[in-house]
Amino acid sequence: MTVAVVRFGGSNCDRDALAALDHLGVDADIVWHEDGLPSDTDGVVVPGGFSYGDYLRAGAMAARSPVMEEVRAAADDGVPVLGVCNGAQIGSESGLTPGAFTTNRSARFQCEHVHLRVENADTPFTRAFDEGEVLSLPIAHGEGRFEITDDALADLESEDRVLFRYCDAAGAVTEAANPNGSKGNVAGVLGERDHVAVLMPHPERATLPDIAAPNGAGTDGAGVLAAFQ
Ligand SMILES: NC(=O)CC[C@H](N)C(=O)O
């Protein structure tokens, strides 16, 4: 598999994603968005960062790059697509995934470790886990609060498209365990099909043992990125 890690001006987690994928033995390359997806692309990661300086809304400008039409076409062909943090914001701004990510309840940039509960273990991004399993991943965002209408959230829930929720260490989904005020504690969602997903926490920062162990994150991110193996 050749995974395209799509870089925009202001991406800053592209090399981390590449290193994490390399560690997992996944053939991957960074692709400048203006160059378009290589013809042999069979996986796409839209990495984190501050594309276009988060102007207008985080992810709004990158979502309008022509490469996102190619990403959509690849997804339609069954290629797995994962958006991480700014990539999640780009995913929702481009309509690949539902809802929106907006300013944290704290109105501050937050960089911390959180717990996530796996809500649907029947996807390429979660098949390494059991449903209800609690993961530890880092977050680092100012605009990570998931918003969606009540009706649309109910639809997502009934379609099993909520992938991860913020929870406490025991797996309880509580307001206290919700770092940014996300509706329904939602931390990650699926697009129309289960091979398209976005999440605000950073699996690529919790994959390499040399980095993950000292910073306390562990290596749960490897299970998410295993979708590309
Ligand atoms: N780490 C990131 O991708 C940052 C996400 C985004 N630009 C924010 O602060 O909300």
Side-chain angles (χ1 to χ4, degrees):
M1 175 175 281
T2 301
V3 174
V5 179
V6 182
R7 172 187 278 166
F8 299 93
S11 298
N12 69 5
C13 303
D14 42 345
R15 285 177 296 170
D16 308 64
L18 191 65
L21 290 166
D22 273 355
H23 171 74
L24 298 175
V26 176
D27 181 29
D29 272 316
I30 292 173
V31 172
W32 175 241
H33 74 104
E34 288 180 344
D35 294 338
L37 293 183
S39 57
D40 64 346
T41 298
D42 45 19
V44 176
V45 173
V46 185
F50 295 81
S51 55
Y52 302 95
D54 281 353
Y55 281 104
L56 294 182
R57 298 177 303 278
M61 294 174 74
R64 281 142 184 91
S65 164
V67 77
M68 291 309 296
E69 275 310 315
E70 295 182 40
V71 171
R72 177 186 302 280
D76 288 345
D77 283 347
V79 168
V81 175
L82 179 67
V84 174
C85 201
N86 192 225
Q89 296 161 336
I90 295 167
S92 68
E93 284 284 345
S94 64
L96 267 182
T97 55
F101 294 96
T102 188
T103 308
N104 292 348
R105 180 174 46 193
S106 65
R108 292 181 185 279
F109 188 90
Q110 288 174 246
C111 189
E112 59 198 75
H113 290 109
V114 297
H115 291 104
L116 301 180
R117 193 173 75 186
V118 177
E119 301 293 300
N120 176 353
D122 194 18
T123 81
F125 308 100
T126 50
R127 66 182 170 213
F129 310 114
D130 296 323
E131 192 171 314
E133 193 169 337
V134 178
L135 315 183
S136 171
L137 291 180
I139 57 167
H141 58 243
E143 298 180 44
R145 176 165 60 88
F146 183 72
E147 267 304 333
I148 195 164
T149 65
D150 291 339
D151 286 351
L153 180 58
D155 286 348
L156 286 188
E157 286 166 343
S158 69
E159 292 161 7
D160 227 0
R161 289 168 63 192
V162 175
L163 194 55
F164 300 108
R165 290 186 205 265
Y166 299 108
C167 65
D168 66 18
V173 174
T174 64
E175 203 38 50
N178 187 346
N180 53 23
S182 287
K183 191 151 187 170
N185 283 47
V186 171
V189 288
L190 292 173
E192 279 162 21
R193 280 170 299 157
D194 69 7
H195 61 271
V196 177
V198 299
L199 78 166
M200 285 310 294
H202 287 268
E204 80 285 5
R205 295 188 189 178
T207 294
L208 298 173
D210 288 352
I211 295 174
N215 77 13
T219 56
D220 288 337
V224 178
L225 298 177
F228 299 105
Q229 278 180 310

